[in-house]
Amino acid sequence: MPTSVDDLASAIKRDRRTTTELLEGLATKGSAVRTERSGAWLHRSALDEGRTKLDAGVASWFEQNPQRVKAPVLEVRRASGLEQAVFQFVLDAAAKDGALTLDGADLVPAGRRVESDPETEAVHARLLEAGLQPPSPAELGATFGGEKAVRAKLGRLVDLGRAVRVGPEMYFAAEAFDRAREAVVANCRKNGHLDLPSLRDEVATTRKWLIPLLEHLDAIGVTMRQGGHRVLRGR
């Protein structure tokens, strides 16, 4: 387990300064590693073992999700079997070494590439055509090889920034989502707060799609609830 200097000092019955000097000596020999995130220390052998398990977890996740470019960090941790503190230490070390990059709640292995395929492009085209009234994954699945296959393609489009997931059953083409976000910002600036009826008319959709989209804009920090209205965050 990653351990703080204070806990180590208590365990070996030395003062903090002496313990830090001992740790730095071990680090020079390559026997101990410190994480910048928390300042905790881990033995090199434990880090190496953790990296092996992390790599196996990443490989396992992508084996089950071959169309995806990014992997959810939480799911990789489960696949790796590592305890949270160790996993975070190992993940930070892998990111520092360039073995992967972190993108919010996702990770991307270095060099990860997935070739485009006609069906994924067709799903994207259908989302574009639907605008702000996109079909659900189940509805898309009726046309494009089943719901499970479609969810994988939608996940890949999200990874690539070509689609936006606003809920488990709702995905927008990124172009449509961006237009809606711009309309929301303009509406708020014009009225001092969001005027839902005029926005609904402007973007040509209904509450079924609009409310989840607005809740997503709240979640990502574009808007917020203030009293009985929705306003731009920071205003």
Side-chain angles (χ1 to χ4, degrees):
M1 290 291 295
T3 309
S4 69
V5 174
D6 290 335
D7 286 344
L8 285 166
S10 176
I12 67 173
K13 296 179 173 53
R14 298 290 190 278
D15 59 45
R16 197 176 196 281
R17 179 178 177 180
T18 301
T19 304
T20 300
E21 291 174 351
L22 291 170
L23 284 166
E24 290 173 350
L26 290 172
T28 300
K29 296 176 181 179
S31 300
V33 184
R34 178 181 179 273
T35 178
E36 294 179 2
R37 180 187 295 267
S38 65
W41 290 82
L42 190 69
H43 196 279
R44 168 61 68 177
S45 63
L47 175 60
D48 292 343
E49 181 181 351
R51 283 290 291 269
T52 298
K53 291 183 177 179
L54 172 63
D55 292 345
V58 170
S60 173
W61 194 89
F62 280 110
E63 184 178 350
Q64 297 175 47
N65 301 273
Q67 296 186 44
R68 298 291 300 274
V69 178
K70 302 178 182 180
V73 169
L74 180 59
E75 294 184 22
V76 171
R77 186 183 77 78
R78 290 171 179 162
S80 72
L82 289 168
E83 193 277 333
Q84 175 60 36
V86 179
F87 176 80
Q88 190 62 62
F89 193 111
V90 173
L91 188 67
D92 290 344
K96 185 177 181 179
D97 291 349
L100 54 85
T101 56
L102 297 174
D103 183 10
D106 299 316
L107 64 82
V108 186
R112 176 73 179 173
R113 299 286 185 274
V114 178
E115 295 298 325
S116 184
D117 67 275
E119 283 203 350
T120 299
E121 294 302 320
V123 170
H124 181 253
R126 179 70 186 91
L127 291 179
L128 274 175
E129 179 186 5
L132 293 179
Q133 298 188 34
S136 68
E139 291 168 333
L140 288 167
T143 304
F144 299 108
E147 183 176 346
K148 182 177 180 180
V150 161
R151 286 187 182 277
K153 297 178 191 305
L154 289 169
R156 178 178 170 190
L157 289 170
V158 171
D159 291 347
L160 296 171
R162 300 178 64 195
V164 178
R165 179 182 183 269
V166 304
E169 305 302 322
M170 196 171 295
Y171 294 78
F172 292 89
E175 297 88 340
F177 178 81
D178 289 343
R179 288 197 299 272
R181 178 172 54 189
E182 291 169 4
V184 167
V185 170
N187 184 288
C188 287
R189 287 175 175 165
K190 177 181 178 181
N191 300 294
H193 61 80
L194 184 67
D195 181 69
L196 190 58
S198 63
L199 176 68
R200 187 171 58 237
D201 293 341
E202 180 181 354
V203 299
T205 191
T206 68
R207 291 178 64 90
K208 173 183 175 181
W209 289 277
L210 191 55
I211 296 303
L213 189 149
L214 293 175
E215 290 174 347
H216 182 72
L217 290 176
D218 290 344
I220 64 175
V222 176
T223 52
M224 61 183 287
R225 300 304 296 265
Q226 188 175 84
H229 297 292
R230 183 173 266 112
V231 300
L232 293 180
R233 187 173 290 276
R235 290 181 63 87

